[in-house]
Amino acid sequence: MRQRSEATRFDLVYTHLFRMAPFAVLVDGAIRVLDLTDCVSRELGGSISYRPLWMRLPLRMETARIRLYEKEVTADFDEVWTISESDRDEIAAGAPGARIHVVPNGVSQELFDVRTDRKSPILGFLGNYQVPHNIDAARILALRVMPIVRSRFADAQLHLIGHGHSRAVDRLDGFNGTVVVGPIDNWADALSPLSVFVAPLRYAAGVQNKIVEAMAAGLPVVTSSPGNCGLQARSGSEILVYDSLEEFAVATGDLLRDPNRAAAIGERGRAFVRSRFSWDRVAERVGELLASRSVLGGPGLPEGTGG
């Protein structure tokens, strides 16, 4: 990396996640941007009480180490990006001198054109099923939410969509109307048969792209407080948020029973995502940084760009 940086003049170095940070600091003379996306220490710390007892002490130690590293690594970068304000606040609490900017993800434009069926009581959840919070949510849906939903809609199904094989998730296939769909090539094709998107996440950080994508497709979303923390959509209008599993299941069943209300929430959610999540904002921020370098004649940032 150092040899390459000596041979080529770089204006800006974009670093995705803190694991790559040690390589970025080898590049001299460029604006350094670290995209943390979300606060890893917050998600890991929030998961501890839901993990097996033997894992909890090691995870507490790892959380403390990551929290310290998140604080230290920001000092080596001109600007740090997070995906949401809640993550920005979490990082800033440990690193008050860091220059942090919120840069949300974008959404594939084809999702805005999805028209969902809603003719069948099919619930959906998608994600990487090697990630603990997705495994946990899938098990909660199949084993605890679906029995309540199926007491009202006997033919209701739950589609678990996404890649990453996990024995804990694979075993759910066939339980309480659960179908483990597995990996798919096109999110739009996977989302269009669904009536409601459900995401009872008990711990999470950042913005959940799965929820953003479902909302972009016009699906009504029922989630938890951790699922909406980074998103900050209005509960009852653009999204439904419940932390009680019984209330979560009942609210899901109510949407199945009232397709007009489900459609209205879905359309308001779609409008919310369209107004806030665009890849254009990422390009704009990079352009601002490069423009500042041009004006200042070297690495530098425009005034008042933090936050």
Side-chain angles (χ1 to χ4, degrees), residues 24-42:
V25 299
L26 298 177
V27 181
D28 294 323
I31 297 174
R32 296 173 181 164
V33 176
L34 174 61
D35 188 353
L36 290 176
T37 303
D38 45 50
C39 182
V40 175
S41 61
R42 180 173 69 167

Side-chain angles (χ1 to χ4, degrees), residues 254-291:
D254 289 344
L255 289 178
L256 293 176
R257 189 177 296 279
D258 189 347
N260 290 332
R261 178 169 178 253
I265 292 174
E267 287 307 313
R268 287 193 292 268
R270 194 200 300 262
F272 172 84
V273 170
R274 192 188 294 276
S275 69
R276 299 194 179 206
F277 294 88
S278 169
W279 291 116
D280 291 342
R281 182 61 196 119
V282 180
E284 288 170 3
R285 186 59 193 154
V286 171
E288 291 166 0
L289 293 174
L290 292 176

Side-chain angles (χ1 to χ4, degrees), residues 22 39 60 62-63 68 70 94 115 122 131 154 180 193 203 223 244 256-257 281:
C39 182
R60 287 192 183 95
E62 183 68 3
T63 298
L68 179 61
E70 286 172 334
R115 292 298 176 261
I122 302 177
V131 177
V180 178
Y203 53 93
T223 190
S244 160
L256 293 176
R257 189 177 296 279
R281 182 61 196 119

Side-chain angles (χ1 to χ4, degrees), residues 100-140:
I100 305 174
H101 200 87
V102 178
V103 181
N105 279 350
V107 179
S108 173
Q109 289 299 303
E110 68 174 337
L111 290 174
F112 291 112
D113 297 326
V114 171
R115 292 298 176 261
T116 52
D117 189 347
R118 297 199 184 96
K119 293 180 181 178
S120 302
I122 302 177
L123 312 180
F125 178 71
L126 62 84
N128 178 353
Y129 295 113
Q130 292 180 327
V131 177
H133 65 252
N134 288 336
I135 296 172
D136 183 67
R139 286 178 53 80
I140 287 173

Side-chain angles (χ1 to χ4, degrees), residues 18-208:
F18 58 58
R19 294 176 185 85
M20 298 301 294
F23 300 98
V25 299
L26 298 177
V27 181
D28 294 323
I31 297 174
R32 296 173 181 164
V33 176
L34 174 61
D35 188 353
L36 290 176
T37 303
D38 45 50
C39 182
V40 175
S41 61
R42 180 173 69 167
E43 178 171 350
L44 189 61
S47 76
I48 293 174
S49 61
Y50 302 106
R51 301 293 192 98
L53 289 174
W54 64 270
M55 294 181 65
R56 295 184 184 182
L57 179 58
L59 286 176
R60 287 192 183 95
M61 296 172 64
E62 183 68 3
T63 298
R65 291 175 64 232
I66 291 175
R67 186 172 289 120
L68 179 61
Y69 187 61
E70 286 172 334
K71 173 183 177 180
E72 293 177 345
V73 76
T74 60
D76 295 324
F77 288 82
D78 298 293
E79 184 165 284
V80 176
W81 290 0
T82 65
I83 200 171
S84 72
E85 293 182 2
S86 62
D87 288 275
R88 177 196 61 192
D89 295 345
E90 190 78 18
I91 297 294
R99 194 179 189 104
I100 305 174
H101 200 87
V102 178
V103 181
N105 279 350
V107 179
S108 173
Q109 289 299 303
E110 68 174 337
L111 290 174
F112 291 112
D113 297 326
V114 171
R115 292 298 176 261
T116 52
D117 189 347
R118 297 199 184 96
K119 293 180 181 178
S120 302
I122 302 177
L123 312 180
F125 178 71
L126 62 84
N128 178 353
Y129 295 113
Q130 292 180 327
V131 177
H133 65 252
N134 288 336
I135 296 172
D136 183 67
R139 286 178 53 80
I140 287 173
L141 284 167
L143 302 178
R144 301 179 64 181
V145 172
M146 284 302 291
I148 299 174
V149 173
R150 282 167 69 87
S151 69
R152 298 173 63 186
F153 301 89
D155 58 342
Q157 293 184 357
L158 167 67
H159 288 189
L160 298 178
I161 308 159
H163 66 281
H165 286 288
S166 164
R167 184 177 299 177
V169 173
D170 289 342
R171 287 175 174 172
L172 299 174
D173 192 57
F175 274 87
N176 301 318
T178 300
V179 179
V180 178
V181 176
I184 46 88
D185 294 327
N186 188 300
W187 285 133
D189 292 342
L191 294 173
S192 59
L194 305 182
S195 296
V196 181
F197 189 86
V198 282
L201 298 160
R202 294 197 288 186
Y203 53 93
V207 172
Q208 297 299 303

